[in-house]
Amino acid sequence: MSFLSSACCSPAPVKTGYTPIGQTCTDASGMTYYIVGGKKCKRGIVFCYDVFGLHPNAYQVADILGLEDLRVIVPDYLEGKPLSTAVLNKPDVYHDFITRRGTYATCRPLVLAAVEILRAEGCERIGGVGICWGAKLVMGALAEKDVSGVSSGALIHPSMLEMADFERAQGPVLLLLSKDEPDFQTEFAVARGKPFGADSQMERFDNQAHGFCGARGDFGNSEVAGDVDKALAMTVAFFKRTCA
């Protein structure tokens, strides 16, 4: 059974005045993407945002990672049409999203195109970061590592994951959970039981709600900001170890 936190449907994402430091580009196919980080980086990250799309918090998280010797690319999977709390509460919209628009099969061409952009820039090892729904995309890429090139994944307060995602994963995962996610102990045991399982980690942020690192995170709150900093520091350390 896939998990979607009820917190995905409320409240609305926070508003911030953050100004991104990277570049917004369009490739030959028309894919819009945001990219940040040193152009000589050997490690690349495909960043998969939450259902609220290219929110200022998504830019800020990508920028923080990009300052850590990582080249970070954020395809606009939702093509300028992110979801809102209002439409998430509409059964027909939600059903369309989980069965069509938001599936890995639909978003896969953008993930693969992002990987090729990173490779063309000289990235030799590539990981994926997924926030909320974005974690589902990362696990899809990790299930076909030899094709996608994504060799490890950071799953930040993930939604929509199933046991099969962990069974199919071909690389280690970093599970960063809020108080609202399920236990995940059984799924994590599967991840740890794989040949590369020693590199998998799990941490729960019991004082934080689902979405604290995403569009709903109040980065102006010192307690939230502190845990965001901790989560991103763990993410950077994870990729420096698994994408070495």
Side-chain angles (χ1 to χ4, degrees):
M1 177 69 69
S2 63
F3 162 73
L4 177 66
S5 171
S6 60
C8 283
C9 301
S10 63
V14 298
K15 295 181 179 180
T16 71
Y18 183 74
T19 300
I21 62 175
Q23 294 179 301
T24 298
C25 309
T26 303
D27 72 0
S29 73
M31 179 183 78
T32 299
Y33 62 94
Y34 178 75
I35 193 162
V36 67
K39 293 185 177 180
K40 294 184 179 180
C41 293
K42 297 301 180 183
R43 302 182 186 95
I45 299 296
V46 177
F47 186 98
C48 304
Y49 52 48
D50 62 25
V51 296
F52 300 109
L54 286 167
H55 183 276
N57 286 6
Y59 286 117
Q60 190 167 359
V61 170
D63 287 350
I64 291 169
L65 296 175
L67 293 172
E68 297 292 338
D69 197 30
L70 299 168
R71 185 68 165 161
V72 183
I73 186 169
V74 192
D76 188 9
Y77 307 97
L78 301 181
E79 299 179 328
K81 298 178 181 179
L83 300 189
S84 67
T85 51
V87 300
L88 275 173
N89 286 310
K90 295 180 178 180
D92 57 334
V93 175
Y94 171 69
H95 182 266
D96 178 68
F97 186 81
I98 65 171
T99 60
R100 185 188 62 84
R101 192 179 177 212
T103 65
Y104 178 65
T106 297
C107 299
R108 181 176 183 268
L110 283 74
V111 173
L112 299 185
V115 169
E116 287 309 309
I117 290 169
L118 292 174
R119 284 175 168 165
E121 291 193 353
C123 293
E124 297 173 355
R125 298 294 301 275
I126 296 170
V129 171
I131 294 182
C132 186
W133 154 73
K136 187 72 171 180
L137 303 186
V138 170
M139 290 300 265
L142 200 56
E144 54 169 2
K145 181 182 75 171
D146 293 343
V147 176
S148 71
V150 174
S151 60
S152 57
L155 316 173
I156 303 176
H157 40 76
S159 283
M160 304 185 186
L161 297 186
E162 303 171 279
M163 174 60 82
D165 294 312
F166 293 87
E167 292 170 344
R168 291 192 294 258
Q170 297 176 15
V173 297
L174 172 65
L175 266 171
L176 299 177
L177 309 173
S178 77
K179 65 181 181 180
D180 296 317
E181 278 79 61
D183 182 69
F184 274 112
Q185 289 289 347
T186 303
E187 292 86 348
F188 184 63
V190 171
R192 289 283 290 182
K194 291 177 177 282
F196 42 77
D199 284 326
S200 290
Q201 294 175 263
M202 183 167 67
E203 179 88 5
R204 185 174 291 273
F205 293 79
D206 287 320
N207 293 325
Q208 299 301 332
H210 176 81
F212 76 96
C213 284
R216 290 198 183 88
D218 183 1
F219 291 3
N221 178 296
S222 60
E223 184 177 356
V224 174
D227 279 344
V228 171
D229 288 345
K230 179 181 177 181
L232 296 184
M234 292 181 68
T235 299
V236 169
F238 173 72
F239 285 124
K240 289 191 174 181
R241 184 175 69 255
T242 62
C243 292

